[in-house]
Amino acid sequence: GAVVSQHPSWVICKSGTSVKIECRSLDFQATTMFWYRQFPKQSLMLMATSNEGSKATYEQGVEKDKFLINHASLTLSTLTVTSAHPEDSSFYICSAGGESTEAFFGQGTRLTVV
Amino acid sequence: GQSLEQPSEVTAVEGAIVQINCTYQTSGFYGLSWYQQHDGGAPTFLSYNALDGLEETGRFSSFLSRSDSYGYLLLQELQMKDSASYFCAVDPGGFKTIFGAGTRLFVKA
């Protein structure tokens, strides 16, 4: 299957700082990427849909000014958590859409805000 | 709106067969997927059903009934390594994936 690389795999940051997470499709072009958040023992909740060259589409309840998404190329989307707070600590996962029906996931990023 | 229902947890013994059910209600539907996720890891794709019927892949099989908005994942010859969370997910179109809450499977010796 296709490979999606997410970086970093884990990050610890201080409250009030910003953190950028990268999602790259390594062997295919992804016109659409998705960002999910997963709290412990819960499901993956879709945060936003990232389209190359255009503004992201955010799900209801997700603050677009707090979770900045940029999809500047067909192989890279970034999620920036701005002014992070402890309640933002979570597992963030990206996925990329290709030609098949399978969603290809990155390895995930575990964010801890202290 | 979108909603998917699946049991929160299931326990079975090694070598047994277990079935995890999923019912869904979504505004769009192209297919039903199943993903496996071990603690601390990312979801990994198991199967996708677009049409009614049973799809078999090794020890795992997945079934879909579109008329009933229902599907299930069948795991045979359970192994300890199968202990994980299993998510059903709907493809509503546009490569988007909407996940159910997940079923934690505990496999006992």
Side-chain angles (χ1 to χ4, degrees), chain A residues 56-90:
Chain A
T57 303
Y58 290 81
E59 296 297 306
Q60 193 172 10
V62 178
E63 302 174 57
K64 61 181 181 181
D65 294 330
K66 180 170 182 62
F67 299 99
L68 301 179
I69 291 172
N70 183 274
H71 195 156
S73 76
L74 287 172
T75 59
L76 174 64
S77 176
T78 61
L79 167 68
T80 301
V81 183
T82 62
S83 186
H85 291 285
E87 57 265 30
D88 298 324
S89 298
S90 186

Side-chain angles (χ1 to χ4, degrees), chain B residues 4-105:
Chain B
L4 293 90
E5 298 287 335
Q6 56 181 124
S8 58
E9 63 178 60
V10 173
T11 301
V13 297
E14 261 189 311
I17 299 173
V18 71
Q19 178 175 313
I20 301 174
N21 298 320
C22 174
T23 58
Y24 59 87
Q25 186 174 11
T26 58
S27 54
F29 182 84
Y30 284 80
L32 186 72
S33 300
W34 288 92
Y35 288 83
Q36 179 192 61
Q37 185 182 33
H38 286 97
D39 286 345
T44 55
F45 173 81
L46 293 177
S47 67
Y48 179 85
N49 293 65
L51 303 176
D52 286 357
L54 189 69
E55 296 279 345
E56 298 181 61
T57 307
R59 295 188 296 116
F60 295 177
S61 303
S62 57
F63 172 83
L64 175 66
S65 169
R66 294 175 69 115
S67 60
D68 295 323
S69 297
Y70 163 76
Y72 66 73
L73 178 69
L74 191 73
L75 298 87
Q76 302 182 72
E77 300 173 21
L78 280 176
Q79 302 174 10
M80 297 296 287
K81 67 178 182 179
D82 297 329
S83 293
S85 291
Y86 292 83
F87 295 90
C88 61
V90 164
D91 169 11
F95 303 117
K96 186 182 290 191
T97 307
I98 307 297
F99 287 85
T103 299
R104 288 186 68 84
L105 171 64

